[in-house]
Amino acid sequence: GQNIDQPTEMTATEGAIVQINCTYQTSGFNGLFWYQQHAGEAPTFLSYNVLDGLEEKGRFSSFLSRSKGYSYLLLKELQMKDSASYLCAVKNSNYQLIWGAGTKLIIKP
Amino acid sequence: DAMVIQNPRYQVTQFGKPVTLSCSQTLNHNVMYWYQQKSSQAPKLLFHYYDKDFNNEADTPDNFQSRRPNTSFCFLDIRSPGLGDAAMYLCATSIGTSGSNEQFFGPGTRLTVL
């Protein structure tokens, strides 16, 4: 089967750094996405990785290792508004998007 | 602004009473998707259209149907809603399905079944 694993919930402190991990097993690979989803709202696109390495975009960075089936999302200088769920999704060889259940990130002052 | 719009944002229906959810887009994207998402779960793809080409997921119940009368609009019909169909329904679009084509989501319709 195909699956995406992420921690269910994480807690971090305002101003700190947090790393959200994602491991995947899919039939083929055509890229990995990270989305942010605030409670009761739609997911919004954060990042896309298709090659190994780190992609930096402001306070958010995303890393990919295809050989390990592993990615992480790194959030720096955490703000209260970063409290949300972060969903990892992988596009497989059929270009289907396989979604993880998301990691709920709780930011404390 | 180019966007994905869903109506209504909240829908209450009775057990067994048909309901239609609508989605429109101003992005002129080729692909439109319908997802079901329950609390703390991954979005579950129900079906998608590539232009007029309909693609049904194997495990989507027959109770769920879809129509795409033109590029801009897509509808989700639930013929006989059950209590288990209460969820957030998300419409998304993408320009295509290849690797980097991200999906853009509407705000969702939260369906309550009484």
Side-chain angles (χ1 to χ4, degrees), chain A residues 29-93:
Chain A
F29 180 84
N30 275 300
L32 183 145
F33 294 81
W34 284 96
Y35 280 80
Q36 181 190 60
Q37 186 175 26
H38 284 100
E41 297 183 12
T44 55
F45 170 78
L46 289 177
S47 67
Y48 172 73
N49 294 67
V50 67
L51 299 176
D52 289 352
L54 188 69
E55 295 276 345
E56 297 188 76
K57 197 186 283 188
R59 293 188 299 114
F60 292 7
S61 303
S62 55
F63 171 83
L64 175 67
S65 169
R66 287 171 297 172
S67 62
K68 294 182 179 176
Y70 168 69
S71 173
Y72 67 72
L73 181 68
L74 192 71
L75 291 76
K76 301 177 187 175
E77 300 168 19
L78 285 170
Q79 302 175 9
M80 298 303 292
K81 67 177 183 179
D82 297 329
S83 292
S85 287
Y86 292 86
L87 291 93
C88 174
V90 172
K91 204 166 268 193
N92 67 11
S93 57

Side-chain angles (χ1 to χ4, degrees), chain A residues 30-31 33 35 37 40-45 48 87 91 95-97 99-102, chain B residues 9 35 37 40-43 57 88 90 97-103 105-107 110:
Chain A
N30 275 300
F33 294 81
Y35 280 80
Q37 186 175 26
E41 297 183 12
T44 55
F45 170 78
Y48 172 73
L87 291 93
K91 204 166 268 193
Y95 297 100
Q96 295 171 315
L97 202 54
W99 292 85
Chain B
R9 293 291 310 275
Y35 287 93
Q37 188 180 28
S40 301
Q41 294 185 20
E57 293 301 298
M88 176 77 92
L90 296 165
T97 55
S98 63
S100 63
N101 293 155
E102 70 200 73
Q103 294 183 15
F105 285 84
R110 182 163 294 283

Side-chain angles (χ1 to χ4, degrees), chain B:
Chain B
D1 284 342
M3 56 190 353
V4 182
I5 302 160
Q6 290 188 244
N7 286 304
R9 293 291 310 275
Y10 300 90
Q11 177 73 58
V12 180
T13 191
Q14 291 180 333
F15 183 94
K17 186 173 180 183
V19 67
T20 295
L21 310 182
S22 74
C23 176
S24 63
Q25 54 133 342
T26 60
L27 296 160
N28 205 31
H29 281 173
N30 297 310
V31 193
M32 295 187 79
Y33 307 83
W34 278 106
Y35 287 93
Q36 178 193 66
Q37 188 180 28
K38 297 186 177 180
S39 182
S40 301
Q41 294 185 20
K44 178 182 183 301
L45 182 65
L46 297 173
F47 20 60
H48 75 276
Y49 278 92
Y50 198 124
D51 293 328
K52 293 186 177 182
D53 198 20
F54 177 70
N55 298 273
N56 197 31
E57 293 301 298
D59 57 353
T60 298
D62 291 341
N63 196 26
F64 292 86
Q65 303 285 315
S66 185
R67 298 168 281 135
R68 189 179 185 186
N70 54 51
T71 302
S72 302
F73 284 87
C74 197
F75 299 96
L76 170 62
D77 300 307
I78 308 176
R79 295 193 295 190
S80 182
L83 298 178
D85 296 328
M88 176 77 92
Y89 289 87
L90 296 165
C91 174
T93 72
S94 64
I95 195 162
T97 55
S98 63
S100 63
N101 293 155
E102 70 200 73
Q103 294 183 15
F104 294 81
F105 285 84
T109 295
R110 182 163 294 283
L111 178 68
T112 300
V113 181
L114 301 177

